[in-house]
Amino acid sequence: MTEFASDKLLLLPLVSASQEALVREFETLLVYSVMGRLALYTDARCQDLATKDDHVQLDPSAGYDDMAAELRQIARECGARFLLGGSLTLLFDDEAPERLEECRVTLRLFDAVENRFASEAPWTCRTFETTADPLQEAGPWLRPQFEEFCELVNAGFSLAYEALFAQSAQAASFCEPPVAASYEALRLLITADRLKGAPQEKIDAYQKAVQADPSLEAAYFNLGALYKAKGDYRQSVAHYRKALELSHGRPRLRAMYATEAGVCCALLGEYDPALQWWRRAIEIEPEYLAPYLNIAHHHEERDDLEQAEAYCLQAQAIRADDARPCYSLARVYCKRAQWAQAIDQYERQLRCDGEEGWPHNDIATCYLQLGDRAKARAHFERAAAIDPHGEPGLYAALLLSELTPSA
């Protein structure tokens, strides 16, 4: 049976090879903008098959059955259910063939599970920007008025959003600000995202983007991450704060901004602001685990094990299938010498993450503390069998060599 991931969307080319040179930039801006908007409002996974190295080429003259078969094959190869593509038609002035009169785009969403085009959105533009853009390369190009381009982006986003969440409880509670202030700002943001240079080069590129548009949430988020990686935690906090101030995105994303700002405060040794950021993250998105675990770790480091346990238990109540609260709770119980409770958490960790060597070693250590050498030996043997040549297995073998079988 073919599996199609319902949370994955492929973005496909709009144009034929004959039109590609004229509208390549237009398509890049459109695909990037739709993907960026989905990143702000959803957890959907998106793959660009239109403008990057893994570009696919569709035959626009193919009949419906042939096109559907090709789209389904692409979906099967990429493990996605939904494909967003469409067609583009350009009309030129008969008396002035170099002058573009009209651009028609029809966005279409294909559902590979139902094997049909689920919906479409037509869009027509007759007004184009003619002002010079210092970033624009020489040669032909297509620039609808930017406000109209943003309407097309929102149409593509809406098609994808409604398909991805039609059968879920996620509500479409978002506003639709412009994707950027201008084409120049959008191009600068794309350039920064795709830059392969050193961190400082990317920082400089994102700074140019926010100079062109001071409301670019994605640029501030990326600057926060880059400054954190560079060790400039104060700048990182400032940019995560700015991303949060500007954010129109989903609560999980805003909670992540606040959480990362708190992490950087902690790295600066400023723990009261760190706790404030993490509590704010919980207020924004009560089901986001990271701030609970960060607060728990903060209290654990200060030997306030009661508070550490309380926050870990809150996290575990939210996500019983997540191994992180299990590991943190086990560590707290070990510090309290509550070995049976620690064993229970390590076993839960194994159920969440699957068989790994270290949890078996940890369980064995707890059994040694309880004086049960037979059970300790059994878990060390299990760790050695799972990863005989890795660190967990070698550690288990060392401990096994010091144990004698129980009488």
Side-chain angles (χ1 to χ4, degrees):
M1 174 182 286
T2 301
E3 292 290 336
F4 295 99
S6 60
D7 66 337
K8 185 172 181 181
L9 175 82
L10 305 178
L11 289 99
L12 301 173
L14 291 171
V15 299
S16 66
S18 62
Q19 297 173 317
E20 192 171 351
L22 179 59
V23 297
R24 184 182 294 113
E25 185 206 44
F26 171 77
E27 189 167 62
T28 297
L29 295 171
L30 177 61
V31 169
Y32 180 91
S33 298
V34 172
M35 291 178 69
R37 192 162 290 278
L38 285 165
L40 286 179
Y41 296 116
T42 78
D43 291 318
R45 296 172 291 150
C46 298
Q47 185 175 347
D48 173 10
L49 298 182
T51 68
K52 300 181 77 172
D53 292 340
D54 52 359
H55 172 278
V56 301
Q57 186 66 58
L58 303 177
D59 180 4
S61 63
Y64 179 90
D65 290 341
D66 290 340
M67 179 68 76
E70 185 174 2
L71 292 173
R72 189 171 170 82
Q73 179 61 31
I74 292 169
R76 182 181 295 111
E77 292 171 355
C78 296
R81 174 174 178 174
F82 299 108
L83 300 92
L84 180 63
S87 60
L88 180 146
T89 302
L90 302 177
L91 301 179
F92 293 87
D93 189 330
D94 291 336
E95 296 181 358
E98 74 285 352
R99 188 168 72 85
L100 181 62
E101 281 196 334
E102 186 173 285
C103 172
R104 298 175 185 171
V105 173
T106 300
L107 297 175
R108 297 186 182 91
L109 189 96
F110 182 79
D111 184 334
V113 171
E114 298 186 3
N115 197 32
R116 67 183 181 89
F117 287 96
S119 54
E120 67 176 42
W123 174 87
T124 299
C125 175
R126 297 183 179 88
T127 55
F128 304 93
E129 290 193 357
T130 57
T131 55
D133 179 346
L135 295 174
Q136 180 59 48
E137 299 172 0
W141 53 288
L142 168 63
R143 288 287 183 89
Q145 290 292 333
F146 192 70
E147 295 79 4
E148 295 192 49
F149 172 80
C150 291
E151 291 177 4
L152 178 59
V153 171
N154 286 336
F157 165 73
S158 296
L159 281 184
Y161 188 96
E162 290 169 9
L164 290 164
F165 300 103
Q167 297 178 337
S168 78
Q170 181 165 348
S173 57
F174 49 80
C175 58
E176 294 184 353
V179 294
S182 64
Y183 282 116
E184 179 186 356
L186 187 55
R187 291 189 73 209
L188 284 165
L189 184 59
I190 295 173
T191 299
D193 274 2
R194 295 184 173 177
L195 190 65
K196 303 298 184 183
Q200 188 58 52
E201 291 182 73
K202 290 185 71 70
I203 287 172
D204 293 342
Y206 280 116
Q207 291 290 7
K208 289 179 182 178
V210 297
Q211 287 170 10
D213 181 0
S215 67
L216 283 174
E217 174 186 343
Y220 288 106
F221 160 63
N222 283 290
L223 282 166
L226 286 164
Y227 278 118
K228 180 185 176 186
K230 191 180 176 183
D232 191 342
Y233 302 123
R234 205 164 298 283
Q235 280 288 346
S236 183
V237 172
H239 285 88
Y240 280 125
R241 177 185 290 111
K242 189 66 177 178
L244 183 58
E245 290 172 358
L246 293 168
S247 181
H248 299 282
R250 65 192 190 278
R252 179 63 55 88
L253 189 61
R254 289 186 279 121
M256 188 269 286
Y257 297 158
T259 300
E260 288 298 302
V263 169
C264 290
C265 286
L267 291 168
L268 287 166
E270 298 173 358
Y271 298 109
D272 286 343
L275 288 169
Q276 291 172 14
W277 278 113
W278 293 331
R279 289 174 184 137
R280 185 174 180 187
I282 291 171
E283 291 175 1
I284 294 169
E285 173 54 284
E287 296 189 359
Y288 184 46
L289 295 197
Y292 292 96
L293 298 175
N294 288 340
I295 295 173
H297 182 70
H298 170 83
H299 287 301
E300 182 188 344
E301 289 286 298
R302 282 144 192 80
D303 290 325
D304 187 350
L305 300 182
E306 183 178 350
Q307 282 293 313
E309 179 190 20
Y311 276 95
C312 287
L313 287 171
Q314 288 183 64
Q316 194 165 71
I318 294 166
R319 284 288 304 277
D321 61 343
D322 194 298
R324 292 172 295 168
C326 306
Y327 178 73
S328 295
L329 276 167
R331 194 172 57 233
V332 168
Y333 291 138
C334 286
K335 289 184 176 182
R336 285 178 167 179
Q338 295 175 293
W339 308 112
Q341 291 94 322
I343 289 170
D344 177 65
Q345 291 299 326
Y346 284 130
E347 288 177 342
R348 290 184 67 157
Q349 181 185 351
L350 283 170
R351 291 195 294 272
C352 292
D353 275 353
E355 289 284 271
E356 293 185 359
W358 277 122
H360 282 289
N361 284 334
D362 293 328
I363 292 170
T365 301
C366 293
Y367 276 122
L368 285 178
Q369 294 292 334
L370 290 170
D372 193 332
R373 295 167 67 87
K375 288 185 178 178
R377 185 178 186 86
H379 281 280
F380 280 134
E381 288 173 347
R382 184 63 188 144
I386 291 171
D387 191 5
H389 304 296
E391 190 175 348
L394 295 174
Y395 175 84
L398 176 64
L399 271 292
L400 281 168
S401 68
E402 299 178 3
L403 288 173
T404 56
S406 301

